[in-house]
Amino acid sequence: MALKPIITLPDRRLRLKSEPVAAVDDEVRKLMDDMLETMYDAPGIGLAAIQIAVPKRVMVIDLARREDEQAPADPLFIANPEILWASEEESSYEEGCLSIPDYREEVFRPARIRFGFLDRQGKRQEMEADGLLATCVQHEIDHLNGVLFIDHISRLKRDRVLKKFNKSAKRVGDQPSAAG
Ligand code: NI
């Protein structure tokens, strides 16, 4: 396993639509393991492959260490997810994102979902989720479609966040030694 750098705003790759994997093979499992290690290290509760600059429809989630970093791991490995059903009822969470550091905002999403995916063995699974897991799955699937949680908040708030990240990127670019 290897830690990978997490890309952040205003990196345009965050807006890419990721491609499905043909199968969950050793290469995809290696990607999943790297993503999980990177996510635990951050620390975070969900990570999409595009956040480590890989445009594949792969994501990992683990809510077990949300309150206790020492808690036993309980990871969910997900490839090619699709939402099969979403409740009309919505719930809200104050969301954050490893690609938008130090910013949180309340987001409304369907409270319950059913989704299908390929697991780490490449086996097709269906799961129902509610609460934080439902939010997290929807947040990560959004990433696979180039959508960020700030796309679900008011335009005024979004513009303010984008401006802040564009500014700090410019400051880094001003340094003559900065590469790329
Ligand atoms: Ni995110």
Side-chain angles (χ1 to χ4, degrees):
M1 290 200 282
L3 283 182
K4 303 287 183 186
I6 295 176
I7 63 174
T8 57
L9 279 182
D11 196 312
R12 289 209 178 93
R13 288 171 293 182
L14 290 168
R15 293 306 191 176
L16 287 175
K17 192 168 156 64
S18 295
E19 293 290 328
V21 296
V24 181
D25 54 14
D26 284 348
E27 194 191 326
V28 171
R29 274 187 284 274
K30 163 99 173 56
L31 171 65
M32 287 171 162
D33 291 344
D34 288 348
M35 287 167 61
L36 195 69
E37 192 185 359
T38 302
M39 183 188 86
Y40 287 147
D41 181 70
I45 57 173
L47 192 76
I50 192 59
Q51 293 181 273
I52 57 164
V54 178
K56 288 185 178 162
R57 301 185 82 79
V58 173
M59 54 199 236
V60 293
I61 290 175
D62 191 343
L63 304 184
R65 294 179 172 176
R66 180 161 47 105
E67 271 146 18
D68 175 9
E69 269 187 57
Q70 305 307 318
D74 186 19
L76 201 52
F77 300 97
I78 296 171
N80 298 353
E82 43 176 340
I83 291 178
L84 306 169
W85 171 84
S87 66
E88 266 176 45
E89 181 204 341
E90 295 196 322
S91 64
S92 77
Y93 271 97
E94 196 175 72
E95 295 188 26
C97 181
L98 295 174
S99 295
I100 311 173
D102 304 319
Y103 182 74
R104 303 188 76 81
E105 190 54 70
E106 188 176 37
V107 176
F108 286 84
R109 300 181 186 270
R112 280 170 294 129
I113 57 166
R114 188 168 68 245
F115 63 106
F117 61 102
L118 300 177
D119 67 14
R120 200 170 185 282
Q121 276 67 48
K123 208 179 137 209
R124 163 104 192 158
Q125 301 267 6
E126 269 189 31
M127 254 182 100
E128 286 200 14
D130 61 8
L132 182 58
L133 181 59
T135 288
C136 197
V137 168
Q138 293 173 80
H139 176 120
E140 301 311 329
I141 290 178
D142 269 358
H143 273 300
L144 307 183
N145 295 321
V147 175
L148 300 170
F149 84 89
I150 53 171
D151 299 337
H152 297 289
I153 66 179
S154 79
R155 188 173 180 169
L156 185 74
K157 285 177 180 168
R158 179 168 60 250
D159 286 348
R160 212 180 284 152
V161 181
L162 291 171
K163 210 170 172 182
K164 188 184 119 192
F165 279 91
N166 280 329
K167 245 189 218 161
S168 57
K170 246 179 225 153
R171 269 203 302 277
V172 172
D174 284 344
Q175 293 163 7
S177 61

